[in-house]
Amino acid sequence: MSAKGPEDYAAKPNPRNGRTRLISANWKMNLNHLEAIAAVQKLFYLLRPADYRYAEISLHPPFTDLRSLQLLIETDRMPLVLGAQNTYPESSGAFTGEVSPSMLSRLNVKYVIVGHSERRELFGESDAFIARKVRAVLDASMLPILCVGEGEEERQAGRTGEVLSDQVERALVSVKAEELGKVVVAYEPKWAIGTGNSATATDAADAASVIRATLTERFRAEVANEVRVQYGGSVNAGNARAFLELPELDGLLVGGASLDPEAFARVIQA
Ligand code: PGA
């Protein structure tokens, strides 16, 4: 009998809604390729078969780590999925410092985070630019994780629903109904990112409902129901379960708590 490999640990769809959960580690600008190798080896040691069957687990390291992690994951047949944090919406050319979707897909990257609030705020990414990235990721046969979320002032003004609908609609302008199931939407309220103040489970469920209602209005209910909605923003081992239990949510996008393999394993096992 051959050793078990990724195909034996494929995540099973949630029987409540048919969607496969996705738990993603957004490392941001942390962990060089040597630290990344050590972290993934440790994570693999800590995770059990049931964890991989519960949810697909994607790792989004800095670009410089991708090739090392691809080799590690494939050589050791780890049931972990590679992701990226960003890309540029052109296939090649004079775009100094950028990385194209096709370069990522050659490394067997499956998911690409698009429109993270840090990209929107620190690098001035507009909804229109984010829409081009969503299109480019799909065209390169990868799956975008589109981040949306309101700021503190918008929340105080009661504008959360409106902000989320606008961001979702604008980012998906060029997506066709038959492709919609490939899109993952991460609800990440800006005030919750890296602050230790997560949203409540109720707020996250309401936001996920707004996102799905927007998708249903713009597309068809049956395709809108295929879209996975994650929650992100100060997720840790203590609060992960409350989000994962919600029927409205299909997973988590984890920043700070994903850098330590033990903490991230506890989030997954929550
Ligand atoms: P955090 O980051 O978990 O550190 O709040 C989440 C994110 O920015 O994706």
Side-chain angles (χ1 to χ4, degrees):
M1 212 179 74
S2 64
K4 286 205 188 274
E7 54 288 350
D8 300 300
Y9 297 110
K12 299 226 182 319
N14 179 350
R16 289 197 287 190
N17 54 35
R19 297 188 291 264
T20 304
R21 293 183 189 86
L22 174 65
I23 301 181
S24 305
N26 175 13
W27 288 356
K28 310 191 179 183
M29 198 172 71
N30 295 291
L31 305 186
N32 64 43
H33 74 288
L34 299 172
E35 294 164 334
I37 290 169
V40 172
Q41 280 169 330
K42 189 159 181 197
L43 181 67
F44 182 54
Y45 168 80
L46 292 167
L47 293 177
R48 302 166 307 210
D51 300 326
Y52 301 112
R53 295 199 182 104
Y54 175 74
E56 211 179 344
I57 300 163
S58 67
L59 306 174
H60 301 251
F63 288 134
T64 50
D65 301 0
L66 283 172
R67 176 64 173 157
S68 306
L69 292 191
Q70 181 208 4
L71 291 176
L72 175 66
I73 288 171
E74 290 176 7
T75 308
D76 289 0
R77 296 169 52 72
M78 296 177 176
L80 294 165
V81 173
L82 207 51
Q85 299 175 17
N86 187 27
T87 191
Y88 192 77
E90 291 289 343
S91 51
S92 63
F95 303 102
T96 300
E98 297 299 321
V99 173
S100 74
S102 60
M103 291 169 181
L104 297 175
S105 67
R106 283 294 279 142
L107 292 164
N108 290 344
V109 164
K110 180 170 176 185
Y111 293 98
V112 184
I113 297 172
V114 172
H116 190 279
S117 70
E118 286 151 19
R119 303 285 331 163
R120 292 178 192 256
E121 307 251 296
L122 302 172
F123 303 97
E125 293 193 3
S126 65
D127 286 320
F129 189 50
I130 291 162
R132 286 176 58 205
K133 292 191 185 196
V134 169
R135 185 66 259 154
V137 168
L138 290 169
D139 288 342
S141 305
M142 297 181 294
L143 286 68
I145 298 180
L146 167 68
C147 298
V148 296
E150 82 288 2
E152 176 64 32
E153 279 181 22
E154 291 160 332
R155 180 167 95 114
Q156 297 293 349
R159 293 186 49 229
T160 300
E162 179 195 330
V163 169
L164 297 179
S165 293
D166 284 352
Q167 287 177 343
V168 167
E169 270 176 30
R170 290 181 189 145
L172 302 183
V173 275
S174 62
V175 173
K176 300 180 209 72
E178 58 272 24
E179 304 173 299
L180 188 65
K182 300 196 177 93
V183 175
V184 178
V185 180
Y187 168 57
E188 293 212 311
K190 285 182 208 159
W191 47 269
I193 295 175
T195 59
N197 285 324
S198 70
T200 63
T202 315
D203 285 344
D206 288 349
S209 300
V210 168
I211 290 166
R212 204 172 299 284
T214 306
L215 295 171
T216 304
E217 207 170 296
R218 160 83 163 74
F219 298 92
R220 296 190 301 272
E222 73 230 67
V223 289
N225 284 334
E226 289 174 24
V227 173
R228 290 173 290 174
V229 180
Q230 296 176 312
Y231 168 75
S234 297
V235 170
N236 57 45
N239 62 22
R241 187 185 179 121
F243 296 115
L244 290 170
E245 275 176 352
L246 295 169
E248 291 87 351
L249 285 181
D250 309 296
L252 301 166
L253 179 54
V254 188
S258 72
L259 292 173
D260 170 19
E262 282 182 19
F264 189 49
R266 283 202 302 276
V267 166
I268 297 164
Q269 291 163 354

